[in-house]
Amino acid sequence: MSSQKKRDQLILHTALTAGRIMIENGSEIERVEDTMTRIAHNAGAETSQLFVMITGILMAINGEVGAQIQPVKRRTFDLEKIAVVNQLSREFAAHDITLRQFADKLDHLDSETKYFPMWAQLLAAAMVSGPLEVVFRHNLHDFWISCFVGMIGWLVFYLLNKFIQIRFLSEFAGAATIGILAVFAVHLGLGLSVDDIIIGGVMPLVPGVPITNSVRDVLAGNLVSGPARAVEALVSAAAIGFGIAMVLQFL
Amino acid sequence: MTLLEFFIEVAGTYVSTLAFGVLINIPRRALNFGGWIGVLGFLLYRFTVLSGGGYVVGNLLGAFAIGVASLQAARIKKMPMILFNIPALVPLVPGGQAYQMIKNFALGQNATAFVFMMQVVMISGSIAFGFLLSELVNRVQQRAWRHRR
């Protein structure tokens, strides 16, 4: 293989990996296109053609290698990785790192996950539920029980997501847990209003990333990926709704 | 609304925006900014509703402010814009109305449920439209920046 061909191969590999990491972790399509074009341009490719969708990327640059496809299989929300790719792309544009280093760092980033520790995430789930219950419903009495119910609901959601990996089932189970706990809490006299506890408790499960991204994608003219994300958000919301509705119907 | 209630609302909005940021793993450097943008959007919404502007206009203004402020934060911090506007949007989500809709559908009171469904649709639409308007401002600003350079 000639060195030019190797170089082109590396450019394609780097740009496609960067794009895949960004889509997998919840970036909007326009940013992915922008970053990949910049990487190719800064690496010395004269032209680049891109086709980015939420389930896969197709990219070609001028030169000796053909176009390549990168499927996007899983989808999680880890916005730190998007920020890191963004930062690496800036460093590459400023010639602080070489293309080879960039590719290595991306491969490394892909394999590691640096979430907040578990206790911090549980605390965060509690701190989404309780304060929003007070903000929405002005019911200070149910603050602590909302925190607790929201935390347990989110824990169920998290564990199911991690070990079973059936999409939308985890939202359903989390919401059902929240509903059952809220009804029992009121039965036991720990809370005043089932409605308020449930409203606070489901807030950590709200699909915030797909909602925001679907609006931004549609506005940027990505008429395939935008509605696809909107469907994702709607099905998540519907799963939460079914979980709550089932509990309210039976208890 | 007393002053104490007002402070509780602001603190609750800030804390919950920050905590949602932790759940979707936003870098630590961006968390504080996101929290304040959330408070800004929520305050605009709240004051509009208190002064009789209605919840549709309130959500529109809130989403608009979040969109514009996020771009400024992204420019200052040199980080992607979605790190700021996703958590900031959470306090505007029509959680209460969506819950009432589900509850009334589950209990078979469809007429009431449809009223709440209309509200959810209107609020979601106004948030989306607020984002659209902020995007307009952002594009104009970007063009102005490019011309100046």
Side-chain angles (χ1 to χ4, degrees), chain B residues 4-107:
Chain B
L4 179 67
E5 278 176 342
F6 178 73
F7 273 118
I8 289 176
E9 273 191 9
V10 170
T13 314
Y14 179 76
V15 169
S16 55
T17 311
L18 212 77
F20 198 83
V22 172
L23 287 185
I24 54 173
N25 204 20
I26 281 178
R28 289 159 181 73
R29 289 191 297 136
L31 277 175
N32 187 30
F33 253 73
W36 287 116
I37 292 171
V39 172
L40 172 76
F42 182 76
L43 280 185
L44 262 177
Y45 159 74
R46 204 78 186 89
F47 281 132
T48 314
V49 171
L50 280 180
S51 57
Y55 53 82
V56 169
V57 180
N59 277 297
L60 192 143
L61 285 178
F64 175 72
I66 288 171
V68 174
S70 306
L71 191 83
Q72 313 310 323
R75 193 157 280 158
I76 295 168
K77 290 259 177 188
K78 291 195 166 48
M79 288 168 120
M81 179 178 164
I82 49 168
L83 301 185
F84 303 101
N85 63 8
I86 290 177
L89 194 73
V90 169
L92 292 186
V93 167
Q97 287 90 337
Y99 171 74
Q100 295 292 350
M101 172 185 104
I102 297 289
K103 182 184 171 188
N104 283 298
F105 270 129
L107 300 179

Side-chain angles (χ1 to χ4, degrees), chain A residues 216-234:
Chain A
R216 296 210 64 192
D217 278 351
V218 170
L219 293 184
N222 287 302
L223 294 180
V224 176
S225 303
R229 276 203 229 261
V231 168
E232 192 184 355
L234 272 182

Side-chain angles (χ1 to χ4, degrees), chain A residues 20-224:
Chain A
R20 177 175 55 81
I21 291 177
M22 290 176 87
I23 296 183
E24 271 178 1
N25 292 299
S27 172
E28 72 267 44
I29 301 295
E30 201 185 12
R31 172 174 304 284
V32 177
E33 285 174 349
D34 188 50
T35 309
M36 289 175 71
T37 315
R38 268 170 214 264
I39 290 173
H41 179 75
N42 291 331
E46 280 159 29
T47 57
S48 58
Q49 289 83 38
L50 271 176
F51 178 60
V52 182
M53 279 214 310
I54 193 163
T55 49
I57 312 170
L58 185 63
M59 185 183 195
I61 55 175
N62 67 315
E64 294 175 40
V65 292
Q68 289 187 7
I69 300 175
Q70 177 78 62
V72 180
K73 293 237 173 79
R74 64 199 177 106
R75 213 165 296 120
T76 53
F77 306 124
D78 181 355
L79 298 194
E80 180 154 24
K81 281 190 181 168
I82 298 170
V84 173
V85 172
N86 193 47
Q87 183 63 34
L88 287 174
S89 170
R90 276 175 195 274
E91 283 173 15
F92 179 60
H95 300 292
D96 288 340
I97 54 175
T98 63
L99 188 61
R100 171 50 64 190
Q101 282 172 324
F102 191 4
D104 288 346
K105 283 191 179 178
L106 280 180
D107 289 336
H108 183 65
L109 176 71
D110 201 17
S111 57
E112 72 168 350
T113 40
K114 217 177 74 189
Y115 278 104
F116 283 87
M118 192 62 200
W119 61 265
Q121 294 196 41
L122 281 177
L123 185 70
M127 284 297 117
V128 174
S129 313
L132 279 182
E133 184 268 322
V134 175
V135 169
F136 285 163
R137 311 298 288 185
H138 306 282
N139 180 352
L140 266 179
H141 181 271
D142 288 350
F143 176 81
W144 292 110
I145 190 69
S146 295
C147 284
F148 177 74
V149 169
M151 191 172 86
I152 299 296
W154 189 82
L155 182 68
V156 168
F157 166 73
Y158 177 86
L159 290 178
L160 280 181
N161 238 355
K162 196 165 182 182
F163 293 117
I164 304 185
Q165 287 159 352
I166 305 176
R167 307 212 55 192
F168 310 119
L169 183 75
S170 38
E171 275 99 337
F172 173 78
T177 313
I178 289 166
I180 292 169
L181 283 178
V183 171
F184 274 114
V186 173
H187 264 294
L188 296 175
L190 294 169
L192 292 178
S193 158
V194 178
D195 298 0
D196 293 359
I197 297 174
I198 291 180
I199 289 171
V202 294
M203 286 315 281
L205 306 182
V206 165
V209 181
I211 292 175
T212 315
N213 279 336
S214 73
V215 174
R216 296 210 64 192
D217 278 351
V218 170
L219 293 184
N222 287 302
L223 294 180
V224 176

Side-chain angles (χ1 to χ4, degrees), chain B residues 75 138-149:
Chain B
R75 193 157 280 158
N138 294 347
R139 297 265 149 117
V140 169
Q141 195 186 0
Q142 269 167 359
R143 186 140 302 172
W145 263 61
R146 244 170 242 159
H147 271 289
R148 213 187 306 159
R149 258 190 239 163

